[in-house]
Amino acid sequence: MTSATSGEKQQDWTQPAAMVVPKGGFFQDRVEQGRYGPIFPKTPSCYGFSIIAKIIPGREPVFYEYARNIEKAVAAQPEVLAVLKLHYLRWNLFEIKGETYFQYMGIFDTDFDKYTEDAIGIFTASGLNTVFENLEGFPKDWKTNASAFIKFVRDHQRPSFLEYGEYPFVSADEIKKALKLKAAFSNMLDQMQ
Amino acid sequence: MGGMLEFDDIQHILLTRAPALSGRYEFLSFRNPAGGRAWLSAIAEKVKSASTMQASVDQDKSWVTVAFTWNGLRALGLDEASLATFPDEFRHGMVARAEMLGDTGENHPNRWVGGLASADLHAIAILFARSAADRERSECEHESLVARCDGVEVLSALDLEATPPFDYAHDHFGYRDRLSQPVIEGTGEVPTPGSGAPLQPGEFILGYQDESGPPVGLPQPDILSRNGSYMAYRRLQEHVGKFRSFLCEHGKTPEEQELIAAKLMGRWRSGAPLVLAPEKDDPALGADPQRNNDFNYKQMDPHGYAVPLGSHMRRMNPRDTAHSMNRRRMIRRGATYGPHLPEGAPEDGVERGIAAFVICASLIRQFEFAQNVWVNDLNFHELGNERDPIIGTQDGTLEFKIPRRPIRRKITGLPAFTTVRGGAYFFLPGLKALRYLAALGNIRQPGFRIEREPS
C-alpha cells in the first residue's frame, strides 16, 4: 500500500490524467481506513466531496446571507480555511420538482477524515454551520458529536464516477510555491537591470 | 460538571510521575466476573490518588495503577447499556484500529506478543517501583493476590528497567525523554518556558471543561467516567544495532553521526533542541528545563533548516504550525524495558524498547489523530514520501529529507528503527469508579442511571 500511495505521488504532473471511479466511490481492493471510516480515494483531481442535500423549505435567504458573510470572512482573514488544504469550493442551489437542493463541492489535498475535528471547528468559526443547519436531517448536536456530523456528510456525499486533472495530483501548496518561485525570478531579473 | 479538580479521586499516574527506576506491567484476564471484582476490590486499596501520592511519594517504594479494556469492563460484569456509552474506538480496541494506526507489516497485531492482541486481555496492573528489589516485592504481593482470586489469570508480564546512565530519563537510542509535557489548569504546576499555557483538564480527565467547552458524551453512569481517562498502550521495540549502523553509514565522523541522530529527532540526544542549538550540541541547554523547550517553528524555523519538517519532534508536537494544537495534546507515561546495549557492542538480538502510555480524554481526537496524521501521513507538511523516522510505519521504501542550504539532503530507503510488539486501549477509572466496578455484583448499585444528551 505504501508503494501504491507513493507511486501516485510520483505521477508526472505534465501529463493530464483521467480516472474512472467505481460505483460507490471506492476501489474495493484498496480501501484506506480513516479514523471515522473508509476514505474516498485520491484521484488526478486530488481529494474531494460533493454533498447534496435538500434544504428546509423557505430557507433560501439564509444561504445568500451566508454567501455574503463568507466573502467578508475570507477577505478579513484569508487564512480562515487554510487547515482544510483546499483548492476550490463551490456552492449551488437548484430545484427539482419545486424543492430546493443545496450542493457543496470541494477539492482539496487531504482526505476529509484527517482533519475532521478541525473542519468542525472551522464550521463554527466561519459560520458555515448556518447553511448546514438549514438542511433537512442535519444533526442538531453536530458541534459536540463528530460521528453524527460525519454520518450526515457521508450519507449525503455523491461520489464522482470520473475525475480529471490537467496537472494531476499537484497540491495547492506546490502550485503556490511554483508561483512564488516565478515571482522571485521576475524580481531577480528586475534587480539585474 | 466541571469545577475544581478532584485530586483525591484521580489516579496518580494522570497527574504525577513516580520516581521509579524499575517496574512491571501485568496483563490480566478475568475468567469470571466475581473473581475479577475480588481482585479489583483488593488492589483498589493500593491505588493512590494524585493527592495521597503527593503526600507519600518520598516514603513510597512502589506505586500501583489499574486500567481496563472494554472487554475487561464487560468481564467485570458492567451491563450492556453502560458498555454502549463508551466511544466506538475504545469499544473496538486497538487491534480493530490497526490499519488506520499504521500497525501493518512487521507491526501487525498478528505478530504481537504477550496476548495483547487477544480479546481475553481485560486489565493491566502497572507496578512502578523505586528499585528492582521493590519491584520484586510488589510483584510477589500481586502474585499472591492473583492466586487468591478465582479465574484471574496473568496473560503476560513485562519487566521495566531504566537504562544507564540513570541520572536522566532516556530511551535505548540515547535520546533524553520527558522534555515536553502539557500542564493542566488547576494543578498549580507552572509550564516551562515555551510549553504553552495550561490546558483545560477535560483534555485529559473526563468530567471537566475541555478546550472547546463543557464535557459531552461521557460514558455512563457519571460515577464510572468522572475523573477517568483513556490510555493507549504501545510496546515499541527499538532496534538499537540497526539505529547505530544507520548513523555510521550516514555520518563520516562522530559529530556528523550525532547530527544525523539529532535531525531524526529534532533534538540532540542530550535534549538540546536544534532550533536553539542548530550546529553543535549543548548538553547544558538540553538539561535545563527553563530553556530546553523555549522555541517555536513558525518564526524561528519555518523551513526546517534546524528541525526537519518530518522529524519526530516536529510531527508529535508541531507547536505553532498546527491548527487546534490544544485539542491534540497528550500526556506520556512509561518506561524502557530490556537490557542496555553498550556503545560499540554488536546487536545481540534481545528485545529492548519503550513500553509507554499515551493518556488523553479522546483516543480518536488525540492519540489516533497523532498516529494517523502526524506520524504516518506520507504527505504531512507536503513531504510526499515520508513517515515519522522514529515511530512511523517504515518498510524501507520511504525517505527522510533534511533541509539544508543550498540543497537539501535526502536519505532514501529509511529502515524501521522501531517495531510495535503490542498495544491496547485502556480505560483508567477514578478511585470511586474502581470501587463502583468492584461492587457491581452487589444487589443494589448506588446511583446508577443512564443519562443521555438532550437532543
Side-chain angles (χ1 to χ4, degrees):
Chain A
M1 202 176 91
T2 297
S3 48
T5 324
S6 44
E8 271 174 18
K9 245 333 263 188
Q10 284 150 16
Q11 287 222 5
D12 181 2
W13 57 266
T14 63
Q15 298 300 313
M19 185 188 278
V20 174
V21 181
K23 211 169 174 179
F26 298 104
F27 293 91
Q28 287 306 332
D29 56 332
R30 50 184 164 105
V31 182
E32 191 189 335
Q33 289 298 321
R35 289 178 297 143
Y36 293 99
I39 290 170
F40 289 103
K42 192 174 190 181
T43 75
S45 54
C46 302
Y47 290 103
F49 58 56
S50 312
I51 295 159
I52 300 176
K54 203 190 285 186
I55 77 163
I56 298 171
R59 298 288 176 85
E60 285 91 338
V62 181
F63 288 75
Y64 291 103
E65 170 69 20
Y66 157 77
R68 287 187 289 273
N69 290 341
I70 279 285
E71 187 183 77
K72 275 184 225 151
V74 175
Q77 199 191 338
E79 297 285 295
V80 66
L81 300 176
V83 67
L84 302 178
K85 297 180 180 291
L86 281 158
H87 286 254
Y88 300 102
L89 285 176
R90 284 198 164 167
W91 291 261
N92 308 85
L93 287 173
F94 58 94
E95 273 191 24
I96 301 175
K97 293 181 182 167
E99 290 176 319
T100 307
Y101 287 79
F102 169 69
Q103 173 171 268
Y104 180 43
M105 287 181 75
I107 293 195
F108 37 96
D109 289 318
T110 185
D111 61 273
F112 190 76
D113 184 90
K114 288 201 167 51
Y115 295 92
T116 296
E117 297 94 351
D118 292 336
I120 293 174
I122 281 177
F123 258 54
T124 330
S126 66
L128 200 52
N129 52 318
T130 55
V131 295
F132 271 69
E133 282 166 355
N134 291 288
L135 299 175
E136 289 190 351
F138 190 64
K140 290 194 169 53
D141 62 345
W142 65 274
K143 276 185 199 177
T144 54
N145 190 347
S147 305
F149 174 88
I150 289 151
K151 186 175 184 314
F152 179 87
V153 170
R154 284 180 182 271
D155 287 350
H156 292 80
Q157 152 78 350
R158 295 284 174 265
S160 42
F161 59 90
L162 177 62
E163 300 213 347
Y164 173 83
E166 183 66 24
Y167 38 90
F169 300 106
V170 178
S171 74
D173 270 3
E174 285 165 19
I175 292 167
K176 286 195 271 188
K177 268 187 196 169
L179 293 173
K180 273 185 200 160
L181 198 61
K182 188 178 160 192
F185 259 110
S186 328
N187 186 30
M188 186 190 81
L189 294 174
D190 290 346
Q191 300 302 321
M192 303 293 283
Q193 300 302 311
Chain B
M1 293 261 220
M4 296 283 283
L5 285 171
E6 291 162 0
F7 295 112
D8 58 351
D9 195 43
I10 298 167
Q11 285 207 47
H12 66 82
I13 196 170
L14 243 164
L15 296 176
T16 57
R17 191 188 288 283
L21 284 178
S22 186
R24 183 175 169 91
Y25 301 154
E26 302 223 348
F27 299 93
L28 305 166
S29 194
F30 307 134
R31 301 298 176 197
N32 74 64
R37 293 193 300 259
W39 170 83
L40 176 55
S41 300
I43 203 163
E45 300 299 316
K46 309 262 183 199
V47 175
K48 291 201 151 128
S49 69
S51 53
T52 49
M53 169 81 165
Q54 197 174 20
S56 67
V57 64
D58 292 338
Q59 292 82 52
D60 292 339
K61 301 281 188 216
S62 59
W63 301 269
V64 178
T65 296
V66 293
F68 303 90
T69 62
W70 188 71
N71 288 324
L73 295 173
R74 172 179 273 157
L76 287 173
L78 190 64
D79 65 281
E80 294 300 319
S82 183
L83 285 166
T85 60
F86 282 86
D88 289 349
E89 68 279 9
F90 174 67
R91 290 194 288 122
H92 298 158
M94 192 180 275
V95 171
R97 311 286 282 175
E99 187 196 327
M100 179 272 299
L101 294 172
D103 294 343
T104 55
E106 294 291 310
N107 307 294
H108 195 280
N110 287 344
R111 307 176 71 103
W112 288 2
V113 296
L116 296 185
S118 157
D120 292 336
L121 173 62
H122 292 156
I124 183 174
I126 302 172
L127 313 173
F128 278 136
R130 215 173 261 284
S131 68
D134 296 323
R135 176 186 73 202
E136 265 172 47
R137 207 167 303 124
S138 182
E139 182 186 335
C140 285
E141 268 180 43
H142 190 245
E143 194 180 346
S144 71
L145 169 61
V146 167
R148 289 198 303 276
C149 299
D150 182 41
V152 177
E153 186 191 318
V154 178
L155 290 178
S156 66
L158 181 68
D159 283 334
L160 310 156
E161 291 301 341
T163 56
F166 300 116
D167 53 342
Y168 69 100
H170 57 95
D171 71 349
H172 285 283
F173 295 143
Y175 291 108
R176 180 187 283 268
D177 200 359
R178 305 177 187 172
L179 289 160
S180 181
Q181 291 271 9
V183 168
I184 300 173
E185 176 97 36
T187 58
E189 205 185 324
V190 181
T192 56
S195 298
L199 299 177
Q200 291 298 319
E203 291 297 316
F204 310 102
I205 312 168
L206 302 186
Y208 298 87
Q209 173 103 9
D210 67 23
E211 289 286 318
S212 76
V216 286
L218 297 175
Q220 294 300 319
D222 272 345
I223 189 173
L224 178 59
S225 58
R226 180 140 186 104
N227 294 317
S229 191
Y230 295 98
M231 300 198 304
Y233 173 62
R234 302 291 271 177
R235 171 169 168 172
L236 275 185
Q237 180 177 5
E238 295 185 293
H239 306 290
V240 176
K242 201 196 279 184
F243 177 76
R244 289 177 185 164
S245 314
F246 176 86
L247 297 184
C248 292
E249 190 187 328
H250 293 277
K252 286 192 238 15
T253 62
E255 291 74 28
E256 275 185 31
Q257 291 164 16
E258 273 309 314
L259 183 61
I260 295 283
K263 291 289 185 183
L264 294 172
M265 176 57 67
R267 291 180 186 269
W268 298 90
R269 288 197 272 192
S270 70
L274 281 168
V275 176
L276 302 179
E279 310 284 342
K280 205 169 159 294
D281 191 9
D282 181 350
L285 168 66
D288 181 357
Q290 289 307 307
R291 295 189 292 144
N292 66 18
N293 209 31
D294 194 10
F295 59 91
N296 66 37
Y297 295 126
K298 214 187 237 172
Q299 279 86 40
M300 297 170 78
D301 189 27
H303 303 290
Y305 288 121
V307 179
L309 299 176
S311 66
H312 177 67
M313 183 177 75
R314 199 157 179 160
R315 285 175 179 268
M316 292 313 289
N317 183 358
R319 295 175 183 241
D320 55 343
T321 58
H323 293 264
S324 330
M325 196 54 228
N326 288 351
R327 300 282 280 156
R328 312 288 193 195
R329 299 303 306 277
M330 295 165 275
I331 294 173
R332 283 175 298 132
R333 297 282 186 258
T336 49
Y337 68 93
H340 173 63
L341 188 67
E343 201 63 49
E347 173 66 52
D348 55 6
V350 180
E351 188 187 334
R352 53 176 59 80
I354 307 178
F357 303 93
V358 168
I359 302 178
C360 55
S362 168
L363 291 165
I364 195 169
R365 168 166 58 80
Q366 291 158 289
F367 170 73
E368 291 191 342
F369 172 83
Q371 191 66 30
N372 181 248
V373 182
W374 285 345
V375 173
N376 280 326
D377 185 359
L378 289 165
N379 216 20
F380 178 75
H381 279 326
E382 302 293 313
L383 289 165
N385 199 20
E386 289 192 27
R387 291 198 175 115
D388 187 305
I390 307 284
I391 63 169
T393 308
Q394 298 288 349
D395 60 2
T397 65
L398 303 181
E399 57 197 31
F400 181 68
K401 292 180 278 290
I402 302 173
R404 203 171 54 168
R405 281 180 165 151
I407 297 290
R408 71 189 182 191
R409 176 167 185 193
K410 183 159 90 176
I411 295 174
T412 53
L414 199 71
F417 298 126
T418 56
T419 304
V420 181
R421 303 306 304 269
Y425 288 155
F426 293 103
F427 175 62
L428 177 78
L431 268 59
K432 285 196 195 94
L434 290 179
R435 291 194 288 273
Y436 170 83
L437 288 167
L440 278 177
N442 301 351
I443 295 161
R444 270 180 188 281
Q445 293 174 16
F448 181 81
R449 68 180 204 278
I450 299 283
E451 288 178 1
R452 296 223 177 268
E453 290 302 304
S455 55

